[in-house]
Amino acid sequence: MSWYRNTVWFVKGLREYTRGGYESASKRFNPADVEVDVAGRSFLVTGANSGIGKATAKEIARRGGTVHLVCRNKERAEVAKEEIVTETGNQNIFLHIVDISNPKEIWKFAEKFRNEHKLNVLINNAGCMVNNRELTEDGLEKNFATNTLGTYIMTTALVPLLEKAADARVRQQVVLTEQWAKAHRNIHFSVMHPGWADTPAVRSAMPDFYERMKNSLRTEAQGADTVLWLAVSAEAAKLPSGLFFQDRQPVPTHLPLAYTHSPPEHEEKLLEVLEEFSQKFKSASPGI
C-alpha cells in the first residue's frame, strides 16, 4: 500500500511540475504581485548566463533593479549580459566571473563585493547535475562543491552585507534555508522548486528524461516565476522565513511516507562540516 501511495504522489508531483501544472497554478496568481518597481535595489544571481538564472535576471532588470550576474563562463556571460541590457534597456547590469565549485574563488569574490557594492537580494541559482563522479581541483566532489559548499560559502560571506539592507532576501537549499532563517531573523530566506523546465542543464544532464518530457516541460520564464515572486513581491515577504515554495505557495519539504526527514543532530553535523570546509578554504584564499 505504501508503494502504491508513493507512486501516486510521484505521478501527481511530476504532473504538477510540468507546463500544465504551471498553467493550472497560474490561474490563482495575482499579476500585481510582481508588477513592481525595484529601482535602487540590488540583486545578485548566480548561474545567470542561461536557463532559470538568466530568465530571473532579465525579469528583475525589466523592473529596474541593479543586477549582478555571477557566472563561470566569461564568453557566455557576456552574451547573456548584452541580451539582458538590449531587451530591457537597463544599463545597471554587472558581470562577475566566479566558479561556484571553487571555494577559494568565492571567498575572494565575496570579500571584494562586500567592499564595493550593496546587496538586497541574493539568488543562489547556480548548480550542476554531474552524473559521473568528478573531482574539482581541490579534491571535492563537483556536485557537492557547487550545489552545497559553494552556495553555503556565498551566502555566509554575503550575510553581513545583507544584514545592512532593508527587506533582505535569500534563496537556498531546504535544510540550510531552515537553519539560516532561525539564525538571521532580519533576512527573509526561502527555497523553491522551479518545476521541470526546458533548460540547458536538464537537456545535458538528463537527456533521456528530456526526450520523453520535452513537449511538457515548462519554459525558462515559467520556471523562474516563483524565484522572481520571492525576490520582488511584498506578498512573499509577509510569509514566514525558511519556507519551501512551488508556484508561489508554501509546500511541504517531504513527500508523504517518503521518510526523508533528517534528525536535528544530522542537520547540525552538516552545518558543522560545511563551516569547517568553508573556513579551511577561506584561510587558503589570498588577501582574506
Side-chain angles (χ1 to χ4, degrees):
M1 180 60 73
S2 62
W3 174 87
Y4 171 76
R5 287 179 178 173
N6 278 330
T7 301
V8 170
W9 274 100
F10 173 77
V11 172
K12 179 176 180 288
L14 187 62
R15 185 170 62 248
E16 288 179 349
Y17 290 157
T18 62
R19 187 188 309 152
Y22 175 83
E23 291 169 350
S24 176
S26 65
K27 293 175 183 176
R28 58 171 167 75
F29 292 174
N30 181 0
D33 284 357
V34 293
E35 291 174 358
V36 295
D37 182 351
V38 291
R41 287 177 65 77
S42 177
F43 300 76
L44 188 154
V45 186
T46 66
N49 66 281
S50 66
I52 290 170
K54 185 173 76 172
T56 301
K58 190 178 294 183
E59 291 304 318
I60 291 170
R62 289 191 205 281
R63 290 156 176 79
T66 296
V67 186
H68 294 273
L69 312 176
V70 176
C71 308
R72 181 174 58 87
N73 185 288
K74 188 173 187 294
E75 184 178 339
R76 291 201 296 266
E78 287 176 342
V79 172
K81 177 185 173 181
E82 184 178 350
E83 179 185 324
I84 292 170
V85 171
T86 300
E87 290 191 19
T88 68
N90 188 337
Q91 299 294 321
N92 293 319
I93 312 299
F94 301 93
L95 185 57
H96 310 273
I97 304 303
V98 184
D99 184 348
I100 301 299
S101 72
N102 186 321
K104 293 189 290 291
E105 203 171 301
I106 302 169
W107 276 119
K108 185 177 179 181
F109 158 76
E111 182 70 15
K112 186 172 187 292
F113 189 91
R114 285 206 314 253
N115 292 329
E116 297 178 355
H117 303 282
K118 72 169 190 173
L119 183 63
N120 297 95
V121 180
L122 169 61
I123 300 174
N124 287 305
N125 167 76
C128 67
M129 293 185 285
V130 179
N131 295 322
N132 298 314
R133 182 174 173 80
E134 185 178 329
L135 299 181
T136 68
E137 62 181 39
D138 296 303
L140 300 169
E141 193 278 321
K142 193 163 188 179
N143 288 300
F144 166 75
T146 306
N147 302 337
T148 307
L149 181 61
T151 45
Y152 176 85
I153 293 175
M154 182 68 78
T155 306
T156 299
L158 293 178
V159 155
L161 191 58
L162 288 160
E163 292 275 12
K164 300 175 183 177
D167 189 20
R169 309 185 192 190
V170 178
R171 185 175 82 77
Q172 182 47 271
Q173 296 177 20
V174 174
V175 171
L176 295 181
T177 292
E178 293 171 343
Q179 296 300 318
W180 274 325
K182 296 174 186 174
H184 304 284
R185 299 291 185 178
N186 60 335
I187 300 176
H188 193 275
F189 288 85
S190 53
V191 62
M192 58 80 68
H193 195 303
W196 292 111
D198 189 350
T199 65
V202 169
R203 291 195 293 270
S204 63
M206 308 170 69
D208 293 339
F209 173 82
Y210 174 75
E211 283 302 315
R212 289 196 305 270
M213 299 293 296
K214 60 183 178 183
N215 295 324
S216 301
L217 296 178
R218 298 180 176 200
T219 66
E220 292 174 346
Q222 289 172 342
D225 177 81
T226 298
V227 187
L228 177 69
W229 183 79
L230 289 168
V232 307
S233 78
E235 291 305 308
K238 294 176 183 177
L239 295 166
S241 181
L243 298 181
F244 177 44
F245 290 82
Q246 178 187 334
D247 292 330
R248 303 192 189 183
Q249 279 196 327
V251 294
T253 54
H254 303 276
L255 291 174
L257 306 177
Y259 303 106
T260 56
H261 294 78
S262 52
E265 58 269 26
H266 288 183
E267 295 183 3
E268 290 170 9
K269 183 63 178 177
L270 170 64
L271 293 176
E272 287 175 12
V273 170
L274 289 174
E275 182 62 16
E276 182 180 326
F277 267 120
S278 71
Q279 291 302 318
K280 170 187 171 184
F281 290 109
K282 180 179 183 180
S283 63
S285 300
I288 295 180

